Amino acid sequence: MQDVTATYYFRPRADTTPEQAAQAIVEEETTGTWTDITTTTEYVRRLDGEVLALEPSGNGYVTQVRYPAEIFEAGNVPQYLSVIAGNLFGLGRLEAVRLLDVDFPESLVPFKGPKFGLEGVRKLIGTTDRPHVGTIIKPKVGLNPKDTAEVAYRAAIGGVDLIKDDETLTDQTFCPLDERLQAVMERLDEAKEETGRQVLYAVNISARADEIVARAEHALDLGANMLMIDVITCGFTALQALAEAPSVKVPIHVHRTMHGAITRNPEHGIAMRPIARIVRMLGGDQLHTGTVSGKMSHDVSELKGDNLALTEPYFGLEPTFPVASGGLHPGKVAAEIENLGTNIVLQAGGGIHGHPEGTEAGARAMRQAVDAFMQGISAEEYAKEHYELARALEKWGNR
């Protein structure tokens, strides 16, 4: 493949044929405009796009189009997006249009990708095949640094592999980043002395683009062993800047807050898969992709494909570790692993901190649910000899 291929779902306007609509997408994003123009020379024609396929799908159509690689500036993701996801969303001939997927040729993937990736994070934690268990500090905002650190400690003692800030917590006055980070890392050191286990803390350094690397470096100076960024609100190139900074030598956990405004409508917007591909290219070591049984809207077939885009061989880039998060609890663990496999981070906030016996017991219950699946035992059967899991299933049920 030498050029870019993009796949779209669309519904044409009533007075527009499917063929005209697909061609309108190609023309808008390459050399065309709404009318004939006198400035188009013959040599420009090599940059014309092409409709490769067009088929009915649901209430509309799916088309695959080719964009010549030459119209892209290699390494410039904002420019990539201006083509594959640009003005086409406003075209009057389309009632709706959604970018489903995109494939780039190797010439347009000059990125190094994740520094750690799935296997690198596994090596830090010391695992080989089981799903990782993560948690989010809850409530998502409001706790002071000392209490935040206590929640982190209890979760670590209980057996989680990852603790992260929620997407809205950055450097507010009620919980300053410096105080919070130092307090959490001190308590995680205590937990490591007691358990011998390494636990990662993804501190949220999301900020304006021209400050994010400096904020990351400051966090690293304070002992951070993982960084977190809200990639949609900060911008894709903020992630790129972090991943490419020589000083950043820890994994980057990527949150996708605000993605629902882009991905949720099945007929209009951008599906998660192109976002997943771009995050992997730009260096995200972990990325939220969704759950099959949690609180957020989800399409299981799409989700499986999104996770595959993060983990399948892709121009030598390390796989990105998919994260399932949003409404999970121990009773949902089996459904997640059955559908998504073991190369997944199962992240529970309320499903750990809402345990009747507290955060430590909630973390133990999540780990017990994972252990049960890995041993081929149902959660109900395993709970007969594991109190924390039994209490979780009493409260939330199974599935």
Side-chain angles (χ1 to χ4, degrees):
M1 182 179 66
Q2 299 300 314
D3 294 320
V4 174
T5 57
T7 305
Y8 301 92
Y9 167 88
F10 69 89
R11 277 192 296 108
R13 195 173 61 191
D15 62 353
T16 301
T17 68
E19 291 78 12
Q20 288 172 331
Q23 188 62 34
I25 292 174
V26 167
E27 292 177 356
E28 178 62 34
E29 299 305 335
T30 57
T31 61
T33 186
W34 63 273
T35 187
D36 294 334
I37 54 177
T38 60
T39 52
T40 297
T41 58
E42 195 57 37
Y43 70 81
V44 170
R45 292 298 181 189
R46 76 186 188 284
L47 302 181
D48 287 351
E50 178 185 7
V51 176
L52 299 176
L54 178 63
E55 297 179 356
S57 177
N59 296 322
Y61 299 85
V62 169
T63 185
Q64 185 179 70
V65 306
R66 179 187 64 84
Y67 296 124
E70 193 177 350
I71 68 173
F72 295 88
E73 178 189 348
N76 186 343
V77 165
Q79 191 272 334
Y80 291 8
L81 289 168
S82 74
V83 177
I84 64 173
N87 285 345
L88 63 97
F89 292 110
L91 286 174
R93 289 187 172 187
L94 305 176
E95 294 288 349
V97 58
R98 189 181 195 223
L99 173 63
L100 301 177
D101 201 358
V102 61
D103 286 314
F104 295 103
E106 188 170 10
S107 64
L108 293 179
V109 188
F111 312 101
K112 296 181 179 180
K115 288 180 179 176
F116 291 82
L118 192 157
E119 293 302 329
V121 172
R122 281 198 177 281
K123 186 175 180 180
L124 290 175
I125 298 299
T127 63
T128 55
D129 58 353
R130 72 162 172 84
H132 282 191
V133 174
T135 193
I136 312 102
I137 299 295
K138 296 290 184 179
K140 65 167 60 181
V141 291
L143 294 179
N144 62 37
K146 180 180 178 181
D147 289 343
T148 298
E150 177 65 18
V151 171
Y153 170 79
R154 291 296 169 190
I157 291 293
V160 303
D161 306 295
L162 162 69
I163 298 160
K164 63 172 284 293
D165 290 334
D166 222 331
E167 73 278 1
T168 58
L169 181 63
T170 52
D171 191 23
Q172 294 97 317
T173 55
F174 60 82
C175 195
L177 187 149
D178 289 20
E179 294 178 39
R180 178 175 81 251
L181 174 56
Q182 292 178 93
V184 168
M185 296 310 297
E186 287 175 6
R187 297 308 305 275
L188 292 187
D189 286 343
E190 293 178 29
K192 186 175 182 179
E193 290 179 5
E194 297 175 35
T195 66
R197 297 180 57 256
Q198 175 71 57
V199 176
L200 299 175
Y201 169 48
V203 59
N204 188 2
I205 59 163
S206 298
R208 49 188 279 180
D210 61 341
E211 293 181 356
I212 200 161
V213 172
R215 183 172 286 200
E217 291 172 342
H218 181 63
L220 294 171
D221 288 342
L222 296 177
N225 63 8
M226 184 177 237
L227 303 171
M228 173 180 145
I229 179 175
D230 296 331
V231 71
I232 303 296
T233 57
C234 288
F236 291 108
T237 52
L239 168 62
Q240 183 179 7
L242 280 179
E244 293 181 357
S247 57
V248 175
K249 300 176 181 179
V250 300
I252 302 172
H253 180 97
V254 181
H255 197 290
R256 59 175 185 163
T257 188
M258 206 175 80
H259 81 94
I262 303 168
T263 65
R264 185 171 185 176
N265 189 326
E267 292 196 328
H268 191 80
I270 303 173
M272 186 63 199
R273 194 153 316 154
I275 295 173
R277 293 194 189 281
I278 290 170
V279 166
R280 182 180 181 185
M281 290 192 303
L282 295 185
D285 295 290
Q286 296 183 332
L287 171 66
H288 292 223
T289 52
T291 69
V292 301
S293 64
K295 68 180 182 180
M296 301 296 187
S297 175
H298 48 263
D299 180 297
V300 176
S301 61
E302 279 198 17
L303 176 53
K304 288 180 178 180
D306 299 341
N307 286 1
L308 184 62
L310 292 178
T311 56
E312 67 185 351
Y314 192 67
F315 300 127
L317 300 183
E318 290 291 334
T320 294
F321 214 153
V323 178
S325 183
L328 294 187
H329 59 70
K332 293 182 177 291
V333 163
E336 296 299 316
I337 306 176
E338 285 171 356
N339 282 278
L340 304 179
T342 58
N343 281 326
I344 192 78
V345 180
L346 300 172
Q347 200 158 260
I352 284 181
H353 308 301
H355 192 282
E357 307 294 330
T359 293
E360 183 175 338
R364 292 188 190 281
M366 281 292 292
R367 279 295 302 271
Q368 289 163 5
V370 169
D371 293 343
F373 185 94
M374 297 300 288
Q375 295 175 35
I377 304 172
S378 70
E380 295 94 333
E381 186 66 25
Y382 204 71
K384 292 178 181 178
E385 296 183 2
H386 294 83
Y387 173 75
E388 295 88 354
L389 180 57
R391 293 286 281 136
L393 296 184
E394 288 173 10
K395 179 171 183 176
W396 292 302
N398 189 28
R399 294 184 183 260

